[in-house]
């Protein structure tokens, strides 16, 4: 049998602390790298890159399995120190590569863009591979104390989940260098008993610190955005949600505020005089304010301030809910001299947070609720919107808005006709469905749609504004709306009794909105909280088509499927290739490895769903990421710790798998209604509820891996690293698969698929029980536990 490296003594506390630092850095790097790429390229490209980077983590374990002799030449702690130092160097060097790559698609240079993106992927995957080697070596080496090793590993990952949110307030390249310093500190702890290696690690720490100081004083790590704005940049702020930049233009033109690849114009206020609807290019939206007159308005998503000023011209009091505080700061402070500070003006009250979560906490009734071109997750470009859940545009969200209207109050929603899909008609159907669910028998009598024209870059963009309320429009009101639509817009797209325009004509003559949706070329059926992908309108039958007439021609859904295909191929290679090239006497069969693939798929599928579910409940995407990952890691670790107390491990494995599958299945039907009922609680209480809800799920999911791997190690002691690598590669595959399932079938279905994965693991475990009855040569009882890959 091939020689297997064993560590006779238990790991020292400094070794465990060093391992925690490495795993914490690994989780933080994954999130920070996503933030870095999404500030310069579309979200779906960064999703591809981070997925490939995560493959590197599993690949590190596979390298340890395929070539174990490479890692047995020196003492374990020395090898851990060496690979931690390599990890640190790669983290320090990678940002210099990232900031000098050209991510633009100017002049159609697609080949250059593809090459630069591939380079970025390589330099993201390389540190992940080094970190995977470190963890795999620790698992393989400290077999007698693996429960402690796993516990410290999870503590490190949990800490990484907590600190990554405040870290995202610094420039992403600088943060990566800082993580390199932490990894180098881990190398010094690993190498405490190896003076030469320790000195080398200290040198890496010094180099990283010097690099970080240089980056703070110079632009050596400045990441160009490539916007090509014609003005001067006056602000550059990094936040957990997005990178926000402000540009001041000359000749009295509106300034611009960019949040990642999305921009909003910032109106110019001269001599304290507010710009009117004509200067704001918001004539159709102003009609709603004209109808209600002075009162109280709510603007969800202030952007550059256009919607705020449009409301102020007619209303005495305006409440604003803005998701990203950096946008308010750039508009009001950095561009305040020209913008007039709309968020801070007299009569304006601004709250930072998610529009729905904050509105659910209030009992306030409004004369007008306005949502103008607003998107919830600003950390993605317009080309990637179809892969982003949008909790502002669901049937449940519109019901919330209708509940907060005064008698004859108006819901005022504006969307472009064709950005990444037929947004305006889908928003219309969404409004019809929400009114119908609210008890309105003939919802088309309660809404009008007004045509308008906005500017995107140098081109004109038609859009529609939907005005809806709980009471039917009177003939007198409709006559006034038709007149104002001619004066302030481009006419009527839909009104009770006509006229009708384009797709709205078909909607008016359809027997129901459901029949209209089924016959429409795109999927414009109303999104729900279970399937909140408002901007994705491609049906499965339309994959591979070439949509025309849209401002953003790259279809993110096609790229998502391409990502899934690439990862499936990599997963297949990761499963098969090591079995062919590894020089071991006893190879683990595929049926044994399928168990670890199944629980890897199931765990990450559930994790993806849980993060999305809690985005709305906690109010911020980053809070959901941090709190959900922290709670899952914490209780999964506790579940792993108590798994050694499960009697009769073979029967216990099937039992804990069954409990896990049951809890997941129950959450598919009960979690969303529960969170919807509790969304009005104070934020601190919602965090506590999140942790309590995730506790039993985490405890159950923490047991199948250590119990199953302990049995696996008794049969294939030299295949432990391979089993963990298979689990990691399957986890990465699940991260993309979860999004694909959710987009097409909803989060509940994705949750049930996760439960089915644990059902498949039960079948694998039952099969293993029969196999284990056969005589086994050279049995080795190793209570090993691998590190489960965590996908943000």
């Amino acid at each position: 049998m091939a020689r297997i490296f064993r560590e006779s003594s238990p790991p020292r506390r400094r070794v465990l602390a060093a391992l925690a630092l490495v795993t914490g850095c690994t989780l933080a790097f994954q999130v920070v790298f996503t933030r870095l790429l999404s500030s310069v390229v579309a979200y779906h490209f960064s999703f591809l890159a981070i997925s490939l980077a995560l493959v590197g983590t599993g690949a590190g374990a596979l390298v340890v399995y395929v070539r174990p002799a490479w890692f047995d030449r020196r003492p374990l702690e020395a090898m851990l120190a060496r690979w931690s130092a390599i990890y640190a160097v790669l983290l320090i060097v990678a940002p210099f590569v990232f900031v000098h790559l050209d991510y633009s698609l100017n002049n159609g240079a697609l080949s250059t863009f593809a090459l630069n993106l591939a380079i970025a992927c390589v330099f993201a995957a390389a540190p992940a591979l080094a970190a995977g080697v470190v963890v795999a070596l620790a698992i393989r080496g400290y077999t007698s104390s693996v429960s402690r090793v796993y516990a410290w590993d999870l503590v490190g990952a949990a800490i990484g989940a907590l600190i990554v949110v405040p870290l995202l307030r610094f420039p992403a390249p600088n943060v990566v260098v800082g993580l390199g310093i932490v990894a180098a500190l881990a190398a010094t702890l690993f190498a405490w008993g190896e003076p030469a290696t320790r000195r080398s690690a200290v040198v890496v720490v010094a180099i990283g610190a010097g690099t970080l100081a240089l980056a703070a004083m110079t632009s050596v790590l400045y990441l160009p955005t490539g916007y090509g704005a014609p003005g001067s940049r006056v602000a550059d702020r990094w936040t957990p949600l997005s990178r926000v930049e402000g540009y001041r233009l000359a000749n009295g033109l509106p300034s611009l505020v960019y949040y990642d690849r999305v921009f909003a114009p910032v109106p110019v206020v001269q001599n304290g005089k507010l710009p009117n609807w004509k200067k704001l290019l918001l004539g159709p939206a102003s009609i709603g304010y004209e109808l209600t007159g002075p009162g109280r308005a709510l603007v969800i998503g202030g952007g550059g301030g256009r919607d705020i000023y449009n409301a102020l011209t007619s209303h005495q009091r305006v409440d604003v809910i803005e998701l990203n505080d950096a946008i308010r700061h750039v508009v009001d402070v950095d561009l305040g001299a020209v913008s007039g500070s709309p968020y801070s003006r007299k009569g304006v009250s601004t709250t930072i947070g998610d529009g729905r979560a904050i509105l659910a906490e209030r009992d306030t009734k409004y004369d007008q609720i306005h949502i103008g071109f607003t998107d919830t997750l600003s950390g993605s470009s317009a080309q990637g919107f179809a892969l982003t859940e949008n909790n502002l545009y669901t049937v449940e969200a519109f019901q919330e808005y209708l509940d907060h209207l005064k008698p004859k109050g108006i819901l005022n929603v504006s969307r472009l006709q064709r950005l990444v899909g037929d947004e305006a008609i889908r928003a219309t159907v969404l409004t019809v469905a929400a009114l119908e669910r609210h008890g309105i028998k003939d919802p088309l009598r309660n809404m009008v749609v007004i045509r308008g024209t906005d500017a995107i870059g140098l081109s004109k963009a038609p859009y529609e504004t939907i005005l809806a309320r709980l009471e039917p429009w009177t003939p007198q009101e409709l006559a006034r709306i038709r007149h104002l639509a001619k004066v302030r817009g481009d006419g009527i797209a839909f009104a009770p009794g006509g006229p009708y325009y384009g797709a709205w004509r078909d909607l008016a003559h359809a027997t129901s909105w459901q029949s209209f949706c089924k016959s429409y070329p795109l999927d414009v059926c109303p999104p729900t909280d279970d399937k909140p992908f408002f901007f994705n309108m491609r049906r499965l039958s339309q994959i591979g088509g070439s949509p025309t007439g849209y401002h953003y021609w790259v279809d993110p859904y096609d790229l998502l499927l391409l990502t899934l295909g690439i990862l499936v191929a990599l997963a297949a290679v990761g499963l098969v290739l090591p079995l062919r090239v590894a020089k071991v006497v006893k190879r683990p069969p595929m049926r044994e490895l399928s168990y670890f693939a199944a629980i890897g798929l199931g765990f990450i599928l559930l994790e993806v769903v849980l993060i999305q579910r809690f985005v709305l409940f906690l109010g911020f995407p980053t809070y959901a990421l941090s709190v959900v990952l922290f709670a899952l890691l914490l209780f999964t670790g506790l579940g792993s710790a108590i798994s050694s107390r499960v009697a009769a491990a073979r029967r216990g494995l099937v039992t804990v798998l069954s409990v896990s599958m049951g809890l997941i299945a129950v959450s598919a039907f009960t979690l969303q209604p529960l969170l919807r009922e509790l969304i009005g609680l104070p934020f601190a209480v919602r965090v506590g509820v999140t942790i309590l809800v995730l506790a039993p799920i985490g405890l159950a999911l923490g047991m199948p891996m250590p119990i199953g791997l302990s049995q696996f190690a008794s049969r294939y002691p030299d295949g432990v690293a391979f089993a963990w690598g298979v689990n990691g590669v399957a986890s990465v595959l699940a991260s993309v698969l979860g999004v694909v399932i959710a987009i097409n079938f909803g989060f509940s279905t994705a949750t049930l698929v996760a439960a089915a994965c644990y059902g498949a693991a039960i079948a694998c475990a039952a099969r293993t029980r029969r196999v284990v009855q056969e005589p086994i040569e050279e049995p080795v009882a190793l209570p090993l536990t691998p590190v489960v890959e965590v996908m943000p």
Side-chain angles (χ1 to χ4, degrees), residues 670-752:
T670 61
L671 182 59
Q672 184 178 349
L674 174 65
L675 298 183
R676 189 183 300 126
E677 289 296 323
L678 301 178
I679 194 173
L681 295 173
F683 175 74
V685 178
R686 279 181 276 146
V687 172
V689 169
T690 301
I691 295 174
L692 288 176
V693 167
L694 295 179
I697 298 177
L699 286 171
L701 297 184
M703 298 183 185
M705 179 64 80
I707 297 175
L709 192 60
S710 177
Q711 296 181 25
F712 177 85
S714 67
R715 296 185 294 278
Y716 309 99
D718 53 350
V720 171
F722 187 23
W724 179 78
V726 167
N727 179 266
V729 172
S731 300
V732 179
L733 177 64
S735 67
V736 184
L737 184 62
V739 178
V740 172
I741 296 173
I743 285 178
N744 289 286
F745 307 105
F747 288 128
S748 294
T749 301
T751 307
L752 292 176

Side-chain angles (χ1 to χ4, degrees), residues 311-369:
L312 273 178
T313 55
S314 301
H315 280 59
Q316 298 172 347
R317 181 174 179 182
V318 178
D319 293 343
V320 181
I321 302 176
E322 176 59 62
L323 183 66
N324 195 338
D325 188 50
I327 295 177
R328 176 179 65 171
H329 196 282
V330 169
V331 172
D332 270 16
V333 178
D334 300 315
L335 294 170
V338 293
S339 71
S341 302
Y343 288 95
S344 307
R345 293 189 72 89
K346 183 179 179 181
V348 177
S349 175
T350 300
T351 305
I352 302 299
D354 177 79
R356 282 186 64 185
I358 291 175
L359 189 60
E361 297 176 2
R362 297 178 176 176
D363 296 325
T364 310
K365 300 288 186 178
Y366 293 96
D367 298 280
Q368 193 113 181
I369 295 179

Side-chain angles (χ1 to χ4, degrees), residues 13-21 23 146-158:
R13 289 185 179 178
R14 60 173 174 80
V15 173
L16 296 172
L19 180 64
L21 291 176
T23 54
V146 72
S147 59
R148 294 180 61 204
V149 172
Y150 189 40
W152 280 79
D153 173 85
L154 289 173
V155 167

Side-chain angles (χ1 to χ4, degrees), residues 46 75 127 224 286 332 339 358 430 434 464 472 489 528 531 538 542 550 567 579 587 590 597 638 648 670 715-716 765:
S46 62
S286 72
D332 270 16
S339 71
I358 291 175
L430 171 58
E464 272 72 35
T528 64
K531 191 180 175 183
R538 301 288 297 282
Q542 298 170 320
Y550 297 94
L567 293 178
L579 293 176
R587 304 175 187 276
M590 192 60 68
L638 182 58
T670 61
R715 296 185 294 278
Y716 309 99

Side-chain angles (χ1 to χ4, degrees), residues 207-229:
I207 293 174
T211 302
L212 200 58
L214 183 64
M217 296 183 293
T218 68
S219 61
V220 65
L221 286 182
Y222 172 73
L223 181 66
T225 55
Y227 295 142

